């Protein structure tokens, strides 16, 4: 009976952590969407709100890291339980970095507004596709983590190449703009930094998906062609 009670308490502790991680995920998802919106509209006030929202995300990261550390010391999980906790710690780190990238986008949007360069080079249209792709990836990664859905995780890992391809295209176009008209250099660079931040958010979403595979299958698939091979096997 004591062992059963302990096991139930551990499961409850882990579920509490998972709920808070998903809360953190919802915060950074909203932060990213708001950052992209103010890059489109040039709303300096909204950009400032996005920047301030990062404090809440940072506090959650510190709190969750501490909770996970205490769980490891107190419960001493092994095998799959330990993998779950370790993967969760990594997810927390990636979510905090998504918040950082969203903050970068908001700062750039605010700076462009202050310089009066909003609208130059149709800057939002330049990143619209990559922003939508990264937003979907982040949402799907959080969903896969919530349900430990390895199939969904595998599919979205493969999607990262779409974002990488889109970023390379944006970079080539930005270079062309700057070469043809040096007056566009400042705005083109701003747009390029935003695209890079979005591309990094896609990377973090991919990382979260890889942690789902790690929890479910016990495989560390980082830096492998796991997704491509798996999708081919499944037809």
């Amino acid at each position: 009976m004591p062992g059963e009670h302990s096991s139930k308490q551990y499961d409850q502790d882990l579920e509490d952590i998972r709920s808070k991680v998903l809360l953190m995920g919802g915060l950074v998802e909203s932060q990213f969407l708001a950052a992209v919106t103010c890059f489109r509209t040039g709303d300096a006030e909204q950009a400032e709100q996005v920047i301030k929202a990062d404090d809440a995300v940072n506090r959650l990261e510190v709190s969750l890291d501490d909770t996970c550390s205490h769980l490891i010391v107190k419960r001493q999980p092994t095998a799959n339980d330990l993998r779950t906790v370790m993967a969760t710690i990594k997810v927390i780190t990636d979510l905090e970095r998504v918040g950082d990238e969203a903050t970068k986008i908001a700062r750039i949007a605010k700076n462009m507004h202050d310089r009066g360069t909003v609208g130059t080079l149709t800057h939002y249209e330049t990143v619209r596709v990559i922003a939508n792709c990264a937003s979907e990836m982040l949402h799907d990664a959080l969903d896969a983590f919530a349900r430990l859905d390895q199939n969904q995780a595998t599919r979205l890992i493969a999607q990262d190449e779409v974002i990488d391809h889109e970023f390379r295209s944006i970079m080539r176009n930005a270079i062309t703009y700057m070469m043809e008209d040096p007056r566009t250099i400042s705005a083109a660079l701003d747009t390029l930094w935003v695209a890079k931040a979005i591309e990094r958010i896609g990377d973090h979403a991919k990382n979260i998906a890889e942690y789902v595979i790690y929890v479910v299958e016990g495989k560390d698939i980082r830096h492998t062609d796991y997704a491509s091979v798996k999708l081919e096997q499944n037809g």
Side-chain angles (χ1 to χ4, degrees), residues 92-103:
I92 292 163
T93 299
D94 273 286
L95 288 176
E96 189 275 333
R97 288 176 180 169
V98 170
D100 287 345
E101 297 299 339
T103 301

Side-chain angles (χ1 to χ4, degrees), residues 80 83 86-87 209-220:
N80 186 58
R83 287 205 309 270
M86 297 306 295
E210 289 176 343
Y211 303 142
V212 172
I213 303 296
Y214 175 65
V215 171
V216 176
E217 296 192 14
K219 295 178 181 177
D220 186 346

Side-chain angles (χ1 to χ4, degrees), residues 17 23 30-31 42 52 95-96 102 105 107-108 111 126 135 139 141 143 147 162 166 174 183 196 203:
I17 291 172
L23 170 64
S30 296
Q31 194 182 5
K52 289 179 180 178
L95 288 176
E96 189 275 333
I105 296 169
R107 290 189 191 281
I108 292 169
N111 290 338
T126 303
S135 177
H139 181 81
D143 185 54
R147 297 184 294 109
V162 175
E166 186 65 23
R183 292 173 299 178
K196 182 59 181 176
D203 287 342

